[in-house]
């Protein structure tokens, strides 16, 4: 276990370095720059700018500086926001995104797991539950359409929740919901198929024959394998939250990483975009790592296999 | 035997395809023509404009029909590209087995723990710098999009192809082929690939929805189709931009999104029937 953990940690660091290097060299090899304007700059001014941002060093040296900065959590100055370090922007944006993402993930788990178990439990009843149908619809809509529906329902027509901005917890309700609804549907389907499989397993049949209470069976024979499936899904779920947050943060004007990233990518603020990409890589790798550990804790066979 | 839901689903998809093909010949308004005197008309349902008009007075029905062409084409071709990348990869990994298999699959694992969407967006924003050159070479936004889709979605198809290759490898007819001295490539092409086709078809139908949603996502971020052209995703995100507490033009978001949802659900139903067999 320890050796495997160490290996995984190493792979995590390596993936961060690799993404950083790839992004860095892609950046440096592009021709256009943030200082390109419709009118050509005075060469003297251009040179001064390049010097100020360290763009006139040889690429290898620049990369070494960048790696040194990365180790200190320093990504250099933002090219767009004057006199602001990228790390300052990231430090401001990170808590917002973390709160949004973790809350949405939690909500999705809280809705998705019970819903999946419920649907699996009622699989033989003639009257189908409406949950699978809702889930299919939610999974088929682009997430901004769900956000729009929530906006119209809960902000324009009733409850008058704030449609955008950042402040108290009220501001996060709609973003949380719109981010977690498609994810909850996905988790529900996952849990349902795993739980249905478990219901048909010999272990459950044996437990029934032995006269264990249905509640006991549900808790120990159905819930546990379903939970380990959900744990294995946490990595992809984190990726989905991350992708979704790019859109949801824009719609609700939250000052998070996603908003910064999209704006930076569109406005060619390359250092900021690079910083966000690296932070996202670190975050996602960390979630995958956690999911892996949790899975092997819940299901010891996983470890035996690897 | 097909059940009625799957018949309906296939019928719907067929109708959609026919309408998309016939869009230039249908008696509908020009999807680009702006009419400033009839802006933001709500859907009339029984007479023109049937589905209302957008913020520039353009007919939403015509725009949606034209949008269906791009959305469906993107969904289909994008998935095909993802499969073209993923299937040979998975086939090779599964068939050769051993060290290669482990290496290739570890690579896929590693790529999955990187936020590929962010990386692709980063790449697209950098490629924007070279738009003029790429246009000269005949590459447009659409090609970039296909590239992005290929990069994003090849891994799941590779996994499926690998699993299938592993399953088929142990079967008698493959062993017989090996014993006869068939080369690996011809074995893969003549024996493995044809036997994988049903699974690959299902995989294709499962990838199309994800690609269509991806197109909507990229359109929202402004990296989708370029303005005179329309897709369902770009229509819906335009509609979202027009949405405000004062302008109750919800149909502009919900009709295109509804079209996406209906298509995706129809695909889902169609796939479920196929999966059972």
């Amino acid at each position: 276990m320890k050796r495997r953990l160490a290996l995984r940690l190493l792979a995590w660091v390596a993936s961060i370095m690799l993404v950083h290097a790839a992004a860095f060299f892609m950046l440096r090899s592009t021709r256009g720059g943030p200082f390109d304007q419709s009118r050509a700059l005075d060469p003297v001014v251009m040179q001064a700018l390049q010097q100020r941002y360290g763009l006139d060093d040889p690429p290898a040296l620049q990369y070494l500086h960048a790696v040194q900065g990365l180790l200190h959590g320093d990504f250099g100055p933002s090219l767009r926001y004057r006199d602001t370090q990228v790390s300052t922007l990231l430090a401001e944006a990170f808590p917002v995104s973390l709160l949004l993402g973790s809350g949405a993930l939690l909500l999705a788990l809280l809705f998705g797991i019970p819903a999946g178990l419920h649907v699996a439990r009622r699989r033989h009843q003639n009257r189908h539950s409406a949950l699978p149908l809702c889930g299919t619809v939610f999974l088929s809509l682009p997430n901004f359409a769900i956000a729009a529906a929530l906006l119209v329902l809960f902000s324009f027509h009733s409850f008058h929740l704030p449609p955008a901005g950042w402040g108290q917890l009220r501001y996060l309700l709609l973003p949380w919901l719109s981010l977690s609804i498609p994810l909850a549907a996905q988790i529900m389907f996952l849990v349902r198929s795993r739980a249905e499989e478990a219901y048909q397993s010999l272990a459950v049949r044996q437990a029934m024959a032995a006269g264990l209470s249905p509640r006991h069976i549900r808790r120990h024979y159905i819930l546990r394998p379903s939970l380990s499936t959900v744990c294995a899904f946490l990595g992809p779920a984190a990726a989905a939250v991350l992708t979704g947050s790019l859109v949801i943060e824009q719609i609700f004007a939250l000052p998070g990483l996603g908003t910064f990233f999209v704006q930076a990518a569109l406005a060619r603020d390359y250092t900021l975009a690079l910083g966000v990409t690296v932070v996202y890589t670190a975050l996602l790798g960390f979630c995958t790592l956690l999911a892996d550990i949790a899975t092997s804790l819940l299901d010891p066979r996983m470890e035996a296999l690897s | 035997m097909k059940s009625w839901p799957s018949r309906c689903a296939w019928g719907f998809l067929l109708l959609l395809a026919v309408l998309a093909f016939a869009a230039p010949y249908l008696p509908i308004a020009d999807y680009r023509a702006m009419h400033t005197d009839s802006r933001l008309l709500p859907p009339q349902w029984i007479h023109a404009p049937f589905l209302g008009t957008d913020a520039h007075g353009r007919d939403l029905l015509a725009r949606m029909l034209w949008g269906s062409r791009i959305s469906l084409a993107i969904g289909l071709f994008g998935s095909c590209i993802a499969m073209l990348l993923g299937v040979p990869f998975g086939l090779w990994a599964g068939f050769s087995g051993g060290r290669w298999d482990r290496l290739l699959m570890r690579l896929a694992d590693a790529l999955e723990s990187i936020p590929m969407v962010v990386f692709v967006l980063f790449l697209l924003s950098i490629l924007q710098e070279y738009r003029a050159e790429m246009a000269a070479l005949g590459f447009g936004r659409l090609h970039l999009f296909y590239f992005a889709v290929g990069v994003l979605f090849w891994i799941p198809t590779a996994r499926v192809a690998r699993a299938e290759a592993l399953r088929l490898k142990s079967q008698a007819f493959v062993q017989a082929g090996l014993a006869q001295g068939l080369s690996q490539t011809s074995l893969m092409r003549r024996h493995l690939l044809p036997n994988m086709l049903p699974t690959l078809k299902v995989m294709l139908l499962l990838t199309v929805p994800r690609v269509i949603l991806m197109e909507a996502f990229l359109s929202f971020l402004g990296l989708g189709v370029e303005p005179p052209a329309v897709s369902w995703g770009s229509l819906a995100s335009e509609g979202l931009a027009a949405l405000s507490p004062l302008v109750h033009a919800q149909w502009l978001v919900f009709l295109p999104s509804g079209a996406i949802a209906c298509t995706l659900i129809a695909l889902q139903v169609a796939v479920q029937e196929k999966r059972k067999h």
Side-chain angles (χ1 to χ4, degrees):
Chain A
M1 180 75 191
K2 259 186 194 155
R3 185 168 166 270
R4 190 158 151 255
L5 201 62
L7 271 179
R8 289 296 313 264
L9 272 175
L10 209 68
W12 179 51
V13 173
S15 75
I16 295 174
M17 297 298 290
L18 220 69
V19 166
H20 177 253
F24 181 85
F25 283 109
M26 261 158 43
L27 257 182
R28 283 296 172 271
S29 57
T30 50
R31 168 199 48 195
F35 311 122
D36 277 0
Q37 279 155 11
S38 48
R39 200 161 60 102
L41 277 174
D42 190 348
V44 181
V45 175
M46 195 67 183
Q47 204 185 0
L49 272 174
Q50 297 230 330
Q51 209 163 21
R52 159 97 168 71
Y53 291 102
L55 296 173
D56 53 350
D57 294 333
L61 190 64
Q62 283 186 33
Y63 178 64
L64 279 184
H65 278 306
V67 170
Q68 206 179 17
L70 180 66
L71 293 178
H72 293 107
D74 172 20
F75 295 98
S78 159
L79 301 176
R80 202 79 188 176
Y81 299 89
R82 290 279 153 76
D83 299 323
T84 313
Q85 293 288 314
V86 169
S87 41
T88 320
L89 291 172
L90 291 183
E92 276 171 21
F94 187 69
V96 178
S97 286
L98 194 66
L99 196 60
L100 175 68
S102 51
L105 200 56
L106 206 66
L107 266 182
L109 290 173
L110 280 180
F111 281 120
I113 297 175
L117 291 174
H118 174 77
V119 175
R121 195 176 149 196
R122 296 184 30 148
R123 71 201 175 285
H124 290 314
Q125 291 178 8
N126 282 332
R127 274 183 54 215
H128 283 294
S129 154
L131 281 172
L133 189 67
C134 290
T136 312
V137 173
F138 288 143
L139 275 181
S140 307
L141 282 167
N143 52 2
F144 57 82
I146 294 176
L150 288 174
L151 267 178
V152 169
L153 279 178
F154 296 123
S155 189
F156 300 165
H157 280 307
S158 54
F159 297 111
H160 301 290
L161 286 169
W166 170 246
Q168 304 126 332
L169 210 59
R170 288 190 310 140
Y171 286 85
L172 271 174
L173 283 179
L174 289 183
W176 269 340
L177 267 182
S178 39
L179 202 50
S180 64
I181 282 176
L183 202 62
Q186 224 168 335
I187 291 176
M188 180 185 80
F189 285 122
L190 206 67
V191 168
R192 178 179 79 164
S193 73
R194 187 68 188 86
E196 277 181 354
E197 210 176 284
Y199 269 118
Q200 275 154 13
S201 71
L202 288 175
V204 167
R205 224 182 282 174
Q206 193 268 345
M208 278 178 180
L212 292 182
S213 73
R215 215 181 133 164
H216 183 91
I217 293 180
R218 278 207 300 277
R219 189 173 294 171
H220 293 275
Y221 290 74
I222 308 293
L223 182 63
R224 188 158 170 159
S226 311
L227 279 188
S228 82
T229 313
V230 170
C231 268
F233 178 67
L234 279 184
V241 165
L242 207 150
T243 311
S245 73
L246 291 181
V247 167
I248 298 300
E249 284 182 8
Q250 293 269 314
I251 294 176
F252 294 101
L254 292 172
L257 290 174
T259 313
F260 274 119
F261 176 74
V262 174
Q263 280 171 6
L266 293 180
R268 302 198 229 163
D269 186 347
Y270 293 135
T271 46
L272 182 55
L274 183 101
V276 180
T277 308
V278 170
V279 170
Y280 271 153
T281 309
L283 206 61
L284 188 59
F286 187 65
C287 289
T288 320
L289 196 67
L290 277 188
D292 223 38
I293 295 171
T295 315
S296 63
L297 284 183
L298 268 175
D299 192 349
R301 282 173 303 176
M302 286 304 207
E303 181 149 0
L305 272 178
S306 52
Chain B
M1 240 17 269
K2 279 184 176 169
S3 62
W4 66 266
S6 108
R7 274 166 201 263
C8 289
W10 281 113
F12 178 75
L13 290 174
L14 198 69
L15 179 73
L16 216 57
V18 169
L19 281 179
F21 261 114
Y25 314 109
L26 291 178
I28 46 176
D30 182 2
Y31 73 104
R32 287 163 300 190
M34 302 188 186
H35 301 284
T36 40
D37 50 339
S38 56
R39 280 187 290 189
L40 292 173
L41 286 179
Q44 307 295 319
W45 304 119
I46 40 171
H47 59 86
F50 292 96
L51 299 184
T53 58
D54 74 354
H56 297 287
R58 292 173 290 196
D59 184 57
L60 189 62
L61 176 68
R63 286 172 79 70
M64 274 175 60
L65 281 175
W66 278 89
S68 73
R69 290 164 71 88
I70 290 192
S71 280
L72 294 178
I74 279 179
L76 206 59
F77 292 133
S79 321
C80 284
I81 286 174
M83 306 222 22
L84 276 182
L85 287 176
V87 169
F89 190 93
L91 189 62
W92 191 43
F95 189 71
S96 51
R99 200 187 297 159
W100 275 113
D101 182 28
R102 241 172 296 149
L103 188 73
L104 291 178
M105 284 299 121
R106 276 290 139 79
L107 183 72
D109 281 344
L111 283 179
E112 267 193 343
S113 69
I114 293 175
M116 280 315 256
V117 173
V118 174
F119 202 71
V120 163
L121 285 179
F122 190 80
L123 202 68
L124 287 184
S125 82
I126 283 184
L127 283 175
Q128 296 275 318
E129 302 277 358
Y130 296 98
R131 271 170 82 182
E133 279 91 339
M134 298 212 320
L137 286 174
F139 283 105
R141 265 296 177 75
L142 223 55
H143 298 96
L144 275 185
F145 175 81
Y146 286 139
F147 157 78
V149 165
V151 171
L152 286 174
F153 294 118
W154 68 272
I155 296 179
T157 53
R159 284 192 202 286
V160 170
R162 172 179 172 268
E164 275 293 283
L166 280 179
R167 183 177 69 82
L168 290 171
K169 202 169 79 170
S170 59
Q171 300 215 341
F173 66 95
V174 178
Q175 298 298 327
L178 271 178
Q180 280 177 355
L182 282 180
S183 72
Q184 291 224 341
T185 40
S186 72
L187 201 59
M188 280 195 240
R189 213 183 55 227
R190 296 242 188 94
H191 292 280
L192 287 184
L193 214 50
N195 280 293
M196 284 164 71
L197 273 184
T199 316
L200 292 187
K201 266 185 208 157
V202 170
M203 194 62 206
L204 183 73
L205 288 181
L206 282 175
T207 315
V208 172
R210 301 181 58 191
V211 175
I212 292 181
L213 284 182
M214 192 69 206
E215 188 273 323
F217 171 77
L218 285 180
S219 287
F220 177 83
L221 296 180
L223 293 164
V225 293
E226 266 170 314
V230 284
S231 71
W232 286 339
S234 71
L235 282 176
S237 60
E238 262 173 38
L240 184 66
L243 197 66
S244 80
L246 300 178
V247 182
H248 288 283
Q250 292 121 9
W251 66 92
L252 286 178
V253 191
F254 295 131
L255 287 177
S257 323
I260 294 181
C262 287
T263 314
L264 265 49
I265 291 172
L267 278 166
Q268 194 95 356
V269 173
V271 169
Q272 257 167 16
E273 191 76 8
K274 253 193 155 82
R275 248 184 185 170
K276 275 181 201 151
H277 292 306

